[in-house]
């Protein structure tokens, strides 16, 4: 029997969904214990195998409750000002997302409001969205820029994203999304804007950035334009991810694969060649059922192809004001099952193990095993599948971030 020695905290009588691959469904341990030291898990396993020498400063009996890894929302646009409820009205009257964007609304309207807001205002407007996610057990969140679209405003968004990590007990991973939409001062000159992104904006923001994102789409940029941005990202040593094949097939999946992207996101219109390329590159497919639902899309992502090619699937909220004003990751899990036909286990893997991989954090988070951050959720449910099954119900009993 192994030895543990002194630990800060020991949780006992837990039903643990470790979310590790290869064992029982959900990596389940029926009657388990978890020990943490210095914010990391040092031991996790069945109670019967708990080393006798464990000496814990604090021991917590969970009474058989379910424990999962802390949830990871690996795709959000959390920091923005204002809302787009007027566009919601327009869409319900029949206008499409693309038509609204082409008429100067859409992302551009949020850019106007966000440029006008200072950091304190953005922080104040963003915290309720973050708190809603945290209340459901999110312990790691990815946050993109992309509503500034000039050097100073993109940096302002990234600084607010970093501030959020100081205000709350949550890990924030940032993505630079300068290539999100064409700012109106560059109307008709997309290549000039991409020049600015490559020469000035991305290098200036790099210190605040964990990855580089983009939007390859008819209302976004071409794959050739994003290839230039990704080439700069590579030179700066930054990993990439991409909004790919959301509204049409534009070659985003192939581009993401070409650069060994951490993730390719949305993918409703991806074809088999794109999926096969993602598989070869080891890129995670991030599915965003909130955007599919809110835009009333009908083209389903190619889930069967993703499974057949063994592409890891993650699920996220895409929390943003235009296509997915969703601040519930549990609802995203339910939607991934009801709309995309993921199994509850695939959905939960998608918000834990695969979401960690999509952020390049597979060694730190996403499963309950020794060495990883001690980020845990304790739930008042019997079965892990219930987390994806119920709608509009939050069974979180407690949330532990870095062992606390
Ligand atoms: O992920 N696709 C591009 N970006 C966002 C939408 C942003 C917006 O409409 O404000 C998305 O769907
Ligand atoms: Fe998005």
């Amino acid at each position: 029997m192994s030895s543990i020695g002194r630990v800060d905290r020991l949780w006992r009588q837990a039903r643990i969904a470790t979310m590790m691959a290869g064992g029982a469904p959900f990596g389940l341990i029926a009657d388990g214990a978890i020990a943490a030291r210095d914010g990391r898990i040092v031991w996790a396993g069945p109670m019967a195998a708990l080393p006798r020498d464990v000496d814990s400063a604090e021991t917590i009996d969970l009474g058989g409750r379910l424990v999962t890894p802390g949830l990871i929302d690996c795709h959000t646009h959390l920091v923005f000002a204002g809302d787009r409820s007027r566009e919601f009205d327009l869409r319900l009257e029949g206008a499409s997302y693309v038509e609204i964007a082409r008429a100067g609304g859409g992302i551009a309207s949020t850019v106007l409001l966000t440029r006008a807001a200072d950091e304190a205002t953005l922080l104040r407007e963003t915290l309720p969205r973050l708190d809603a996610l945290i209340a459901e057990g999110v312990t790691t969140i990815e946050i993109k820029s992309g509503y500034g679209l000039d050097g100073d405003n993109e940096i302002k968004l990234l600084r607010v994203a970093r501030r959020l990590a100081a205000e709350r007990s949550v890990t924030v991973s940032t993505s630079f999304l300068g290539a999100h939409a064409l700012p109106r001062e560059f109307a008709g000159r997309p290549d000039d804007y991409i020049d600015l992104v490559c020469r000035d904006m991305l290098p200036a923001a790099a210190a605040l950035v964990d990855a580089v994102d983009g939007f390859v789409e008819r209302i976004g940029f071409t794959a050739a334009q994003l290839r230039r941005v990704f080439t700069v990202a590579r030179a700066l040593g930054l990993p990439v991810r991409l909004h790919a094949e959301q509204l049409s097939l534009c070659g985003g999946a192939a581009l993401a694969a070409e650069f060994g992207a951490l993730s390719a996101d949305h993918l409703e219109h991806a074809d088999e060649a794109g999926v096969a390329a993602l598989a070869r590159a080891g890129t995670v497919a991030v599915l965003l059922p909130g955007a599919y639902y809110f835009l009333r899309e009908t083209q389903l992502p190619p889930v069967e192809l993703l499974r057949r090619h063994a592409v890891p699937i993650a699920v996220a909220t895409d929390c943003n004001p235009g296509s997915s004003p969703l601040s519930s990751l549990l609802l995203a899990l339910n939607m991934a099952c009801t709309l995309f036909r993921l199994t509850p286990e695939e959905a939960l893997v998608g918000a834990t193990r695969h979401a960690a991989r999509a952020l390049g954090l597979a060694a730190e988070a996403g499963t309950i095993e020794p060495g990883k951050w001690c980020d845990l959720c304790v739930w008042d449910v019997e079965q892990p599948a219930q987390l994806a099954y119920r709608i509009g119900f939050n069974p979180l009993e407690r949330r532990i971030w870095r062992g606390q």
Side-chain angles (χ1 to χ4, degrees):
M1 199 170 266
S2 60
S3 151
I4 304 182
R6 185 84 185 151
V7 298
D8 302 324
R9 220 163 259 110
L10 175 71
W11 293 270
R12 308 162 33 96
Q13 315 294 349
R15 196 171 153 74
I16 307 173
T18 66
M19 303 314 291
M20 286 166 69
F26 301 93
L28 208 65
I29 297 169
D31 183 19
I34 302 165
R37 185 167 52 230
D38 299 330
R40 296 215 180 232
I41 297 167
V42 292
W43 194 89
M47 285 288 289
L50 182 65
R52 298 236 175 79
D53 75 339
V54 62
D55 173 18
S56 182
E58 190 184 351
T59 299
I60 299 141
D61 192 323
L62 290 178
R65 287 198 181 86
L66 179 77
V67 182
T68 67
L71 301 186
I72 300 172
D73 194 352
C74 67
H75 179 141
T76 84
H77 308 247
L78 206 70
V79 183
F80 59 84
D83 79 295
R84 302 237 289 276
S85 52
R86 175 65 196 129
E87 290 181 8
F88 184 43
D89 285 341
L90 293 174
R91 284 197 301 102
L92 292 175
E93 286 161 15
S96 76
Y97 182 71
V98 169
E99 284 162 2
I100 290 169
R102 290 214 165 111
I107 294 169
S109 62
T110 298
V111 170
L112 281 183
L113 295 170
T114 303
R115 284 179 173 178
D118 62 14
E119 283 185 31
T121 304
L122 285 168
L123 189 70
R124 193 175 63 244
E125 290 198 28
T126 303
L127 275 170
R129 295 188 278 271
L130 179 61
D131 286 338
L133 290 164
I134 285 174
E136 284 190 346
V138 168
T139 50
T140 299
I141 184 169
E142 186 263 8
I143 301 178
K144 305 173 194 304
S145 64
Y147 294 120
L149 307 187
D150 65 31
D152 289 349
N153 280 297
E154 286 293 289
I155 284 174
K156 176 176 75 179
L157 294 182
L158 293 163
R159 283 168 51 94
V160 172
R162 291 283 183 227
R163 274 278 296 283
L164 292 166
E167 298 282 332
R168 295 292 186 269
S169 56
V170 68
T171 304
V172 171
S173 177
T174 58
S175 298
F176 171 82
L177 183 54
H180 192 197
L182 190 63
R184 55 182 63 179
E185 60 273 20
F186 280 87
R189 298 185 295 128
D191 286 302
D192 291 349
Y193 178 62
I194 294 296
D195 283 345
L196 181 75
V197 168
C198 291
R199 271 195 229 126
D200 298 342
M201 288 169 56
L202 175 50
L208 289 164
V209 159
D210 296 309
V212 174
D213 199 344
F215 187 27
V216 167
E217 192 55 67
R218 289 182 199 145
I219 56 167
F221 295 95
T222 65
Q225 286 162 341
L226 252 301
R227 183 176 288 109
R228 294 175 54 207
V229 177
F230 282 2
T231 302
V232 175
R234 184 181 272 169
L236 291 167
L238 291 168
V240 300
R241 56 170 34 91
L242 191 64
H243 287 71
E245 334 288 23
Q246 178 186 9
L247 307 168
S248 60
L249 181 62
C250 288
L255 179 73
E258 180 186 327
F259 281 81
L262 288 172
S263 71
D265 303 41
H266 289 285
L267 293 173
E268 278 84 343
H269 292 262
D271 62 5
E272 182 153 15
V275 170
L278 296 177
R280 283 193 299 275
T283 298
V284 177
V286 179
L287 301 186
L288 303 165
Y292 171 91
Y293 163 83
F294 194 67
L295 297 183
R296 307 180 76 233
E297 294 290 341
T298 53
Q299 174 74 41
L300 286 163
V303 170
E304 210 37 68
L305 283 177
L306 294 169
R307 286 185 183 127
R308 202 177 325 133
H309 288 269
V311 176
I313 298 172
V315 176
T317 62
D318 196 13
C319 182
N320 77 70
S323 70
S324 186
L326 171 63
S327 44
S328 168
L329 188 52
L330 291 180
L331 182 52
L333 298 187
N334 177 270
M335 287 176 166
C337 298
T338 51
L339 299 174
F340 295 169
R341 300 221 176 162
L342 261 57
T343 66
E345 185 179 7
E346 285 174 321
L348 196 56
V349 169
T352 54
R353 190 171 83 241
H354 288 166
R357 177 166 163 178
L359 298 181
L361 293 173
E364 312 281 9
T367 59
I368 298 177
E369 59 184 307
K372 295 211 178 177
W373 293 330
C374 187
D375 294 349
L376 308 172
C377 291
V378 182
W379 307 95
D380 269 324
V381 301
E382 302 268 312
Q383 302 300 335
Q386 289 174 354
L387 298 175
Y389 152 79
R390 293 192 61 164
I391 302 170
F393 179 72
N394 181 4
L396 188 73
E397 194 264 344
R398 79 184 79 175
R399 169 187 178 278
I400 294 136
W401 182 77
R402 307 286 179 98
Q404 312 263 347

